[in-house]
Amino acid sequence: MGISQELDPIIFTTKQENPESKVTSSVSVLEQEDIENHGNLRAVDLLQKIPGVEIVQTGIVGGTASVFIRGAESRHTVIMIDGVKIYDPTAPARAFNLATLNTLDIEKVEVLKGAQSVLYGSNAIGGVINIITKKGEGRNRLKAGMGITREVSAGHTFDFDKGLIYANAYYQDSDFDSDAKDKNLEDQKINKGLTLNGAFQFEKFESETTFKMINDFAEIDGNDANGVPIDNRSTYSKTYNTFFKQGFKFNVSEYETVFLDLSHSEFERFDNYGLGGAVEHSGAVVKTEARY
């Protein structure tokens, strides 16, 4: 009778796929089973459970969230989606707001702790967080829940001769007590999104496509002339993020492979400060990376 052996998780954050035991940096990995068992609805709550990672969030649920690894500044942590560096050009220090990410379409989270500047540039002093979206692989998903938070998500895989396309859509909203003393009104958080992943293989040529769209709405309290929180329906924040990645891989030989990644992301944020007026921000990021 053979002896079963649990294999090392494969780490994607290291540019090349490596077993966790061969990664020299300190690494924490949350697999799909871990994410489901934790029961967290937002990525920031999930990351809070990782030793050495601290999340600071401003204001209410849905307020801007910053990540700190081993005491380094938030701008010294690189955030990636499916291996592509992502940041918000409309935000101070170009930080990415993790509060907009929902766990309903996350397959895996990898956190590399410590300086990673050799691979990811001078801003990777604290570490790297790689968020991997669900790929399908023949499984369909349906999830619904009611309570303080209402949510529904559905995923479907479309199989083809040479590959597959996986679509995952979700909607989530929650009401919570206002920070205002009288609490006459409840604040609201709405997060919805769509993720499409496609993978095709033609002999030595492989293609991977990821499209991710996030629509986030957070209603927040205003302040009176003395700075005291007051219920105010006209104070809110809207965020729209879209992310597109096209990856190509050509297996030249058994020992040689050429990679080409193209990515495009757009960010739009609308902040309404009530009597303080409204501010709109928008920007885009285009990246091309080739490896051999």
Side-chain angles (χ1 to χ4, degrees):
M1 181 176 65
I3 300 177
S4 63
Q5 181 179 7
E6 185 175 350
L7 299 177
D8 268 351
I10 299 299
I11 306 302
F12 297 89
T13 318
T14 52
K15 294 280 186 175
Q16 304 292 340
E17 300 175 11
N18 291 308
E20 183 177 355
S21 60
K22 294 186 178 181
V23 178
T24 56
S25 302
S26 175
V27 59
S28 296
V29 181
L30 294 177
E31 302 282 356
Q32 180 62 39
E33 183 178 355
D34 300 320
I35 296 173
E36 292 177 352
N37 289 339
H38 282 313
N40 295 114
L41 305 177
R42 294 174 295 273
V44 289
D45 298 328
L46 195 65
L47 291 169
Q48 287 271 35
K49 301 181 181 297
I50 299 177
V53 177
E54 181 182 359
I55 301 293
V56 175
Q57 192 163 9
T58 59
I60 60 158
V61 175
T64 301
S66 302
V67 61
F68 301 83
I69 297 181
R70 291 182 170 179
E73 297 181 30
S74 60
R75 62 189 178 93
H76 291 152
T77 296
V78 170
I79 308 297
M80 300 196 302
I81 295 179
D82 290 333
V84 177
K85 188 187 301 185
I86 187 168
Y87 57 87
D88 185 351
T90 70
R94 304 196 303 175
F96 180 74
N97 182 15
L98 287 166
T100 62
L101 294 180
N102 197 300
T103 60
L104 293 175
D105 67 343
I106 295 178
E107 183 77 29
K108 183 178 179 180
V109 177
E110 300 172 347
V111 179
L112 281 177
K113 304 168 190 174
Q116 310 293 328
S117 300
V118 174
L119 292 177
Y120 298 102
S122 58
N123 59 331
I125 297 174
V128 178
I129 297 176
N130 187 25
I131 297 169
I132 301 171
T133 57
K134 293 179 178 178
K135 301 299 188 292
E137 298 178 355
R139 293 180 296 170
N140 295 325
R141 296 181 173 95
L142 178 62
K143 179 180 180 181
M146 291 289 292
I148 298 176
T149 298
R150 298 163 293 277
E151 65 179 20
V152 60
S153 67
H156 181 73
T157 301
F158 301 88
D159 287 307
F160 302 91
D161 291 339
K162 298 294 184 179
L164 59 84
I165 294 177
Y166 177 71
N168 183 84
Y170 67 86
Y171 175 89
Q172 182 183 87
D173 75 83
S174 56
D175 297 322
F176 43 92
D177 286 339
S178 166
D179 288 337
K181 291 182 179 180
D182 51 10
K183 296 183 178 179
N184 294 325
L185 300 173
E186 287 189 327
D187 291 327
Q188 187 178 36
K189 164 77 170 179
I190 299 176
N191 186 270
K192 52 189 176 181
L194 171 69
T195 301
L196 298 174
N197 279 294
F200 294 88
Q201 183 172 4
F202 307 91
E203 297 181 352
K204 294 185 177 182
F205 178 79
E206 298 180 28
S207 171
E208 292 188 358
T209 305
T210 298
F211 173 79
K212 186 174 180 63
M213 179 178 63
I214 304 171
N215 187 329
D216 190 80
F217 170 85
E219 188 176 71
I220 57 180
D221 293 313
N223 294 292
D224 62 16
N226 298 317
V228 178
I230 57 174
D231 285 322
N232 189 349
R233 289 296 193 198
S234 64
T235 306
Y236 58 87
S237 175
K238 294 181 179 180
T239 303
Y240 304 95
N241 293 345
T242 57
F243 169 81
F244 173 79
K245 171 196 171 183
Q246 178 61 61
F248 300 100
K249 182 168 70 173
F250 182 71
N251 300 307
V252 181
S253 67
E254 183 180 355
Y255 307 101
E256 297 176 298
T257 304
V258 177
F259 300 87
L260 176 63
D261 290 329
L262 308 173
S263 65
H264 176 84
S265 52
E266 293 185 2
F267 301 83
E268 183 177 351
R269 190 174 72 254
F270 183 84
D271 297 318
N272 192 331
Y273 301 105
L275 298 177
V279 179
E280 184 173 357
H281 316 264
S282 61
V285 179
V286 180
K287 287 184 174 292
T288 303
E289 181 181 19
R291 290 172 285 143
Y292 182 75

